[in-house]
Amino acid sequence: MRSALIGIAIGLLTLIGAGVVSYNYLTDAIGPRTPTIAPTAVVEKQVNTPVSTAPVKEAMSKVPAKRPVVANVVTNKATAPTTLTPGPLRAATSSSVSSMAPLSTNGVIVFTNDARAQNGGLSALTENTVLDKDAQMKLADMFSKQYFEHVSPTGIGPGELANTVGYAYVIVGENLALGDFSNDQDLVTAWMNSPGHRANILNAHYQEIGVAVGRGMYEGRNTWLAVQSFGMPASACPRTDAQLKAQIDINNATIINLRAELDAKRALIDSTNQSDPNYNTYVNEFNALVPQYNNIVEVNRVAVLNYNASVKSFNACISEASGHTVAP
């Protein structure tokens, strides 16, 4: 029994010795063992900042697609048959000139308006002093340069003459007459018997008239010249608002600048880490600018709609008036 116990003890000591040897061997072979420390999870501090939900509208960088057209004028120029304007009217020579009444500007206007009233009940033309000057200049020029045409030898036609005297118009027209007429009514009747001159007198778009009559030497003979200058003033068409157009241009410039500023702030936000203490400041600055930008874009959108509507009305008025042609 004793010997058995001694044997067990010896065996245990042998195992312990072997274990020490084994540990020393492992230590020599692979080095001391380092305890593994479980990593602590590092959670970044989340900055609770709102992302802008305000819609960023695109800048309206273009001024209205349509712009008001300047007077698309129909001027009566008899330089060629294809211009569809009344050729100058020459009266038949009379042998009893002394029995004829002198022509008068007032009488020509009265009988012209009578003709309009009797043919479709057209409104009477209002005498315009600027058109009177236009007609008088034409009359004097024809006597001076000895021509009888709608376009002068220097190339000045009814439209250019209206511009010279400062008559702002949509359309202008002109009737000319040369010769000895019995009186004002005879002169207007002669014009009414000529299709082209009649169409001018009965043009429903004309609102104003100027007249000049005079007697002088033409082609070596003492005779009468008469001029009717018709006009539809520019004020007859709906006017576009120049101040509104200027404000639209200013708004567009502001929109472009604000858009550039927003883009720069957005880029700064995108390049900044949310943990950066300046991040919230950048976001707040951006969000404060968005409503300002959106507001001016909306204001300009409405302004452009209103301006384009006035342009459309103006262009329609011009188109309707200029569509009226006069047969020769």
Side-chain angles (χ1 to χ4, degrees), residues 147-257:
Y147 72 95
F148 185 52
E149 296 292 342
H150 289 288
V151 179
S152 75
T154 58
I156 304 299
E160 292 83 3
L161 188 56
N163 291 333
T164 299
V165 299
Y167 183 73
Y169 63 91
V170 175
I171 53 173
V172 289
E174 186 177 82
N175 279 351
L176 303 178
L178 167 67
D180 298 317
F181 298 89
S182 300
N183 49 41
D184 298 328
Q185 185 176 19
D186 185 34
L187 168 60
V188 173
T189 299
W191 272 328
M192 286 293 291
N193 289 334
S194 167
H197 298 88
R198 177 188 180 90
N200 248 350
I201 291 174
L202 301 183
N203 187 333
H205 294 289
Y206 291 143
Q207 297 179 5
E208 299 174 334
I209 188 173
V211 172
V213 294
R215 190 173 182 83
M217 294 301 296
Y218 183 80
E219 295 180 341
R221 188 170 69 89
N222 194 18
T223 188
W224 286 91
L225 277 174
V227 180
Q228 282 180 315
S229 295
F230 303 97
M232 176 182 177
S235 59
C237 285
R239 303 305 300 272
T240 56
D241 191 337
Q243 291 184 344
L244 180 59
K245 171 62 169 59
Q247 187 59 55
I248 288 171
D249 291 340
I250 293 172
N251 289 347
N252 280 336
T254 302
I255 287 169
I256 291 172
N257 290 336

Side-chain angles (χ1 to χ4, degrees), residues 260-283:
E261 190 175 351
L262 278 171
D263 289 344
K265 289 184 181 298
R266 184 77 221 188
L268 183 60
I269 291 171
D270 292 343
S271 64
T272 303
N273 194 294
Q274 291 187 10
S275 61
D276 189 311
N278 293 317
Y279 183 82
N280 281 348
T281 300
Y282 299 153
V283 170

Side-chain angles (χ1 to χ4, degrees), residues 10 44 60 79 102 117 135 141 153 158 170 181 187 231 246 255 258 261 263 270 289 293 307 328:
I10 292 171
E44 292 183 356
M60 193 175 295
T79 56
D141 196 55
V170 175
F181 298 89
L187 168 60
I255 287 169
L258 286 176
E261 190 175 351
D263 289 344
D270 292 343
L289 196 59
Y293 174 85
Y307 182 76

